[in-house]
Structure formats: C-alpha cells, structure tokens
Amino acid sequence: DVKVTQSSRYLVKRTGEKVFLECVQDMDHENMFWYRQDPGLGLRLIYFSYDVKMKEKGDIPEGYSVSREKKERFSLILESASTNQTSMYLCASSHPAQGDSWWDTQYFGPGTRLTVL
Amino acid sequence: KNEVEQSPQNLTAQEGEFITINCSYSVGISALHWLQQHPGGGIVSLFMLSSGKKKHGRLIATINIQEKHSSLHITASHPRDSAVYICAAQCGTDSWGKLQFGAGTQVVVTP
C-alpha cells in the first residue's frame, strides 16, 4: 500500500511564526504536491515538485516556500504565518505518466489542520 | 469561475437510495478523477477515467467527453458512504498530473 504521511494532524501557531509542514511518501514517487483546502474553494495547488531539488509554483504560492532535499520528503514552509493561512493542508504524491498514459493517480496524506492565531 | 463545477453541493439520502453526483468541466482534459474525503481529512482516490464507465463495488463512474460531463453513482447507499466526494480534472498532457478540483459534494446517508 502506498503511504503518504504528514508530520502533524493538528497544529496551532501564532502570527509571524515560521511553520514547517512535513510530508513523507514511501513509494519512490517522483512527483509530490502541496494543496490547501478551504470551504467552498476546494483543493488548491500551492507548490509541486517533480524531482529532488526541483519545484514549481502552483496556483497560490504566495506566502509559502518548499524544500525537497530527498526524494521521499517534501516540506512546506510558511516563513511568517498569517491568519489567512489557517486551513487544511494536504500533501500528495504520484509517479509521472508512463508511455502513452498521460495520467496517474495521486495518493494523498491525512492532512494537517493548521490554525494561525 | 471554477473550471470544474460539481452539483449538488450537499446531498442527504436515506440508506438504500441511489445517489448521483455530477461534474462538469470546461477545460480539455486527459483524465477525470473522483476522490472521497472522510471526516478528518484523508482523501482516497476512487476512480480515474478518460472514457466510458468504471465500476467498483457499489460505485459507478461515467464520463462523456463530448459533453464534458462526468457522474458518480452510489447504488444501495449506506451510512458509511457519508463523505465529501470531489471531482478533479487532469488537464492537458502534462506528465506531472496537475489537477483542477471541484468544490466537492457533501453526502450524508441516514439510516
């Protein structure tokens, strides 16, 4: 079974703090993703990585950065947390498409519910 | 405007009823995903389809590429089916698999 784990299920931080969210996958997936999920807005892509040390901005990267030093680990960093970053954060991983298949399944972690006070 | 629209937003059904959730998209896609999210946040991939129909147990997913529309059906619904169901369109031919998500449909099945 593919397993994607996230470091915390619940996290409470104060405005201005630096926050690290960690994600680890055990299936040797090349692609890893960070999403945030807010009521009425669905899932939105923050950043993704298609290889070690490679990263690309998603739809809402402002206020976030990422780090991928090892293939299995993808970290999301909030340099200075703000109240509008209170959200559910979900990590996912996948293999890249193979051959003629242009699609692949993303496997999600359990999520981290972050509250910024 | 979201490029992936789901309906209804909320759905309540009695145990045993047939449930349908609809998903319409306005972008060109390479695949359409249906995901299930249980209370507490964990997301499970139910289906990934690019044409026709797929069935798994009591769940059936269909897609009409010409009409840019997909449906998820739950037959003989059960309270354990209560969850948020999310439709996601995999856009274009990018191999890294960017998804555009619908807002989700909250399904509650009562005994």
Side-chain angles (χ1 to χ4, degrees):
Chain A
D1 266 1
V2 175
K3 197 165 183 184
V4 181
T5 56
Q6 293 182 228
S7 49
S8 307
R9 291 302 302 275
Y10 300 94
L11 207 54
V12 180
K13 295 291 182 181
R14 297 212 173 271
T15 301
E17 280 192 78
K18 191 169 185 175
V19 181
F20 292 87
L21 302 182
E22 302 283 339
C23 175
V24 178
Q25 49 92 6
D26 66 358
M27 280 302 290
D28 202 35
H29 284 168
E30 285 82 356
N31 301 331
M32 295 188 76
F33 308 82
W34 273 107
Y35 298 93
R36 64 177 283 177
Q37 185 180 32
D38 301 288
L41 297 176
L43 283 149
R44 293 179 291 168
L45 181 65
I46 305 171
Y47 267 96
F48 71 96
S49 167
Y50 52 88
D51 203 350
V52 174
K53 295 191 186 297
M54 305 303 288
K55 61 186 180 186
E56 292 287 341
K57 292 180 180 179
D59 299 318
I60 50 164
E62 297 78 19
Y64 303 94
S65 62
V66 290
S67 172
R68 187 138 181 233
E69 297 297 318
K70 292 185 178 181
K71 192 175 186 180
E72 67 271 17
R73 188 180 296 269
F74 192 34
S75 302
L76 180 70
I77 303 152
L78 288 66
E79 294 289 343
S80 177
S82 63
T83 55
N84 63 13
Q85 292 178 309
T86 292
S87 186
M88 169 71 91
Y89 289 88
L90 287 145
C91 172
S93 72
S94 70
H95 277 305
Q98 302 289 328
D100 292 334
S101 295
W102 289 103
W103 37 264
D104 51 282
T105 296
Q106 287 191 23
Y107 296 87
F108 285 83
T112 296
R113 191 168 292 281
L114 172 68
T115 302
V116 182
L117 302 175
Chain B
K1 184 183 182 297
N2 198 351
E3 292 172 320
V4 180
E5 299 280 349
Q6 277 184 246
S7 63
Q9 273 190 306
N10 298 280
L11 187 158
T12 300
Q14 281 204 311
E15 184 172 358
E17 285 185 345
F18 183 83
I19 291 171
T20 295
I21 303 166
N22 295 300
C23 176
S24 297
Y25 53 92
S26 57
V27 296
I29 68 166
S30 53
L32 194 290
H33 298 248
W34 282 101
L35 310 169
Q36 180 191 55
Q37 185 175 28
H38 283 287
I43 293 179
V44 173
S45 178
L46 296 175
F47 293 105
M48 180 171 55
L49 64 164
S50 57
S51 64
K53 179 168 80 173
K54 285 192 176 181
K55 185 176 188 293
H56 183 69
R58 294 179 295 104
L59 301 178
I60 303 168
T62 64
I63 188 167
N64 185 317
I65 298 294
Q66 287 73 28
E67 294 185 6
K68 294 188 174 178
H69 180 268
S70 177
S71 293
L72 177 69
H73 307 285
I74 306 174
T75 62
S77 59
H78 189 277
R80 65 174 173 265
D81 297 326
S82 298
V84 175
Y85 292 84
I86 302 168
C87 161
Q90 186 146 354
C91 304
T93 55
D94 289 323
S95 64
W96 53 266
K98 182 178 178 179
L99 299 175
Q100 295 272 9
F101 294 88
T105 297
Q106 174 77 61
V107 172
V108 175
V109 181
T110 58

